[in-house]
Amino acid sequence: MEPKVSIIILNWNGKVDTLECLESVFQIDYSNFQVILVDNGSTDGSLQAIRARFKDAVIIENKENKGFCVANNIGIQYALKYGTEYFLVLNNDTVVEPAIIHDLRNVLGERSQVSVVSPLIAYYDDRQKMQFSGTQIDWGNGDLCRQYEWEYIVSQKGLLEIDFASWCAIFFKREAIDRIGLLDEDFFAYYEDVEWGVRGAKLGIKSFLYPKILVYHKGSRATGGVYSASVYFYLFRNRFIFIKKHAPLLRKIQFSVTYVVDSVNKFQQLAASGKQDLADAVMDGVWSALHGAWKQQRRAFPRTSKGRTGVLKNIRLWGVVVKALFSYYNRK
């Protein structure tokens, strides 16, 4: 019998996307896999539709939205109890190729030193355009400075070592989770895969890119879209949390400067274009990061300091953020 693979999928009010994802998953050409769907308190009829169509799926129900990290950890812990040897974690707004397990398991089986791999991920609506093609972390600003170009990927003629594998679609051996541990629940959502990959690299568990498109991703459907207020909040908050946890001292100093500049500039840009809800989400993310409002917590930035226009108000905004940043480091 082929080694057991557990496929973990998180759903939160994503009925249409999740059903399409599961439709592709149950067409995977592999004889020994189990689908574990973790639902984060959906109210859109997802569970009823999933149960009716996919009776072989194991469904774990959370009574509320526990976020990406907690929900996936629950699914992984369930699978560990039942002797799984490999994990495939997928976003619910993905569609996969039937060969995904066969190809990725062969990669890990043929290379004992490789435990974690992501395939190339293309856009769902443009399947020749890459959405995930490997990653490099820019420690100076806590962002992902670039992905690899197709020509470079091809030139490597095989697996490409990357800074982290995307949990949009990640395949790993059980030993990886045994050694690295579960996702860090301080993040709730976003940057958790970056942190997990860096934590693994520190233990000598490197991440790799498999140079074949096996997944098509729609993108950030659960949080309202790529440029939603939720995405801005978690990206700006969790970017700080990640650097705080993993960057060396000199990089933290460099990051502090770029973080303040980037946050204030993004706020002003969004506010000037009439997207005040998005602008507020950016500064709420910064304020939450600097005041320890992590996990599911959120702390609003002082409204009187959110200068919409005018030089004096903008100077005040910069001053409040810089003061909070210095206060944060003094507390530590």
Side-chain angles (χ1 to χ4, degrees), residues 8-32:
I8 313 294
I9 300 170
L10 166 62
N11 177 67
W12 180 55
N13 292 327
K15 182 169 90 171
V16 174
D17 290 330
T18 302
L19 289 172
E20 186 177 7
C21 176
L22 288 170
E23 191 69 44
S24 72
V25 163
F26 277 100
Q27 294 179 35
I28 289 175
D29 184 17
Y30 192 78
S31 65
N32 189 19

Side-chain angles (χ1 to χ4, degrees), residues 227-240:
Y227 299 106
S228 72
S230 292
V231 171
Y232 273 117
F233 172 79
Y234 287 117
L235 287 179
F236 275 85
R237 189 195 69 167
N238 293 354
R239 180 175 160 194
F240 182 92

Side-chain angles (χ1 to χ4, degrees), residues 247-265:
L249 177 60
L250 290 179
R251 285 299 196 180
K252 286 180 180 176
I253 295 172
Q254 180 186 8
F255 168 77
S256 297
V257 175
T258 59
Y259 185 61
V260 171
V261 172
D262 192 30
S263 301
V264 174
N265 284 346

Side-chain angles (χ1 to χ4, degrees), residues 52-114:
R53 193 180 301 182
F54 302 104
K55 300 185 184 303
D56 290 335
V58 174
I59 298 176
I60 300 174
E61 294 185 55
N62 296 325
K63 299 303 180 183
E64 60 183 358
N65 182 11
K66 294 182 176 292
F68 186 88
C69 299
V70 172
N72 275 296
N73 286 346
I74 288 171
I76 290 169
Q77 288 171 316
Y78 177 92
L80 288 171
K81 294 178 182 178
Y82 293 93
T84 194
E85 297 179 59
Y86 294 90
F87 289 87
L88 173 61
V89 180
L90 295 170
N91 277 11
N92 74 305
D93 59 343
T94 59
V95 172
V96 302
E97 292 284 355
I100 184 169
I101 292 179
H102 177 270
D103 286 5
L104 298 181
R105 189 183 72 82
N106 282 350
V107 168
L108 300 191
E110 294 167 358
R111 298 166 176 82
S112 60
Q113 76 280 11
V114 178

